[in-house]
Amino acid sequence: MNIDFTKSALLEVDVQNDFCPGGALAVADGDSVITPLNEIAGRFKTACAPVVATQDWHPAGHSSFISSGRTPAEGEVLWPDHCVQGSAGAEFHKDLDMKPVTLIIRKGFRPSLDSYSAFFENDRKTTTGLGAFLKGLNIETVYLGGLATDYCVFFSAMDAIKLGFTVYILRDAVRGVNYPEGSVEKAIHTMKNAGVIMI
Ligand code: VGL
Ligand code: ZN
């Protein structure tokens, strides 16, 4: 892989304990994204290129939790309590190398609004600031890995395309929830059609 580090950023999505085996919203094999992410992050670090880690960061009782008692909207999925601010489950996995990380974006911290994407919250309007941050660094290309393929990675990749970035998904550095069944395949298909490149 030939990366132009002068205009590329690495985005590591939600590599947190709750999305790894043993966590509250465990993604099958979720921790296997860590080794490939550390390897590529090391290369970004050597080049002093930006590495952004996102952290799902919900207040207790968040509206995306089943425990909120809320009736989900059509097509909306509610989740077990996960990534509660300050909890062990919200911490980055201990094996994720944080030394290369130059920015941590926390998301999903508004009680009534979730944020799957690293760029825009689920109202599709509220920004996290990440797009402006990357544009401010003259970044044109985003390499993406992490959890979960069919939710936070998917929405981040689609928004990155919408913002005009060239987007590469690191195929061995993503894992999915696959709920509902088939959602990983559907996400990959939709991303490819939108111009996301799988490598
Ligand atoms: C995620 C569901 C709920 C993710 C976050 O990181 O993909 N999925 N919160
Ligand atoms: Zn969440």
Side-chain angles (χ1 to χ4, degrees), residues 166-181:
T166 300
V167 182
Y168 291 95
I169 295 273
L170 306 163
R171 211 52 193 84
D172 58 347
V174 293
R175 291 293 183 282
V177 175
N178 207 30
Y179 180 84
E181 178 73 41

Side-chain angles (χ1 to χ4, degrees), residues 100-153:
V101 174
T102 57
L103 176 73
I104 295 171
I105 290 272
R106 286 175 166 171
K107 60 181 183 61
F109 52 79
R110 297 176 206 281
S112 314
L113 182 58
D114 203 0
S115 187
Y116 290 152
S117 167
F119 294 94
F120 295 98
E121 302 193 29
N122 287 7
D123 63 358
R124 312 313 295 135
K125 288 195 284 274
T126 306
T127 92
T128 64
L130 180 57
F133 173 82
L134 295 177
K135 299 230 160 154
L137 295 177
N138 299 317
I139 297 302
E140 296 175 9
T141 303
V142 176
Y143 291 82
L144 240 169
L147 307 169
T149 315
D150 38 351
Y151 288 94
C152 292
V153 171

Side-chain angles (χ1 to χ4, degrees), residues 13-14 16 19 25 27 56 58 64 79 82-83 107 114-116 147-153 177:
V13 176
D14 296 4
Q16 294 167 261
F19 298 121
L25 184 35
V27 173
D56 213 33
H58 300 309
S64 73
W79 307 102
H82 66 279
C83 298
K107 60 181 183 61
D114 203 0
S115 187
Y116 290 152
L147 307 169
T149 315
D150 38 351
Y151 288 94
C152 292
V153 171
V177 175

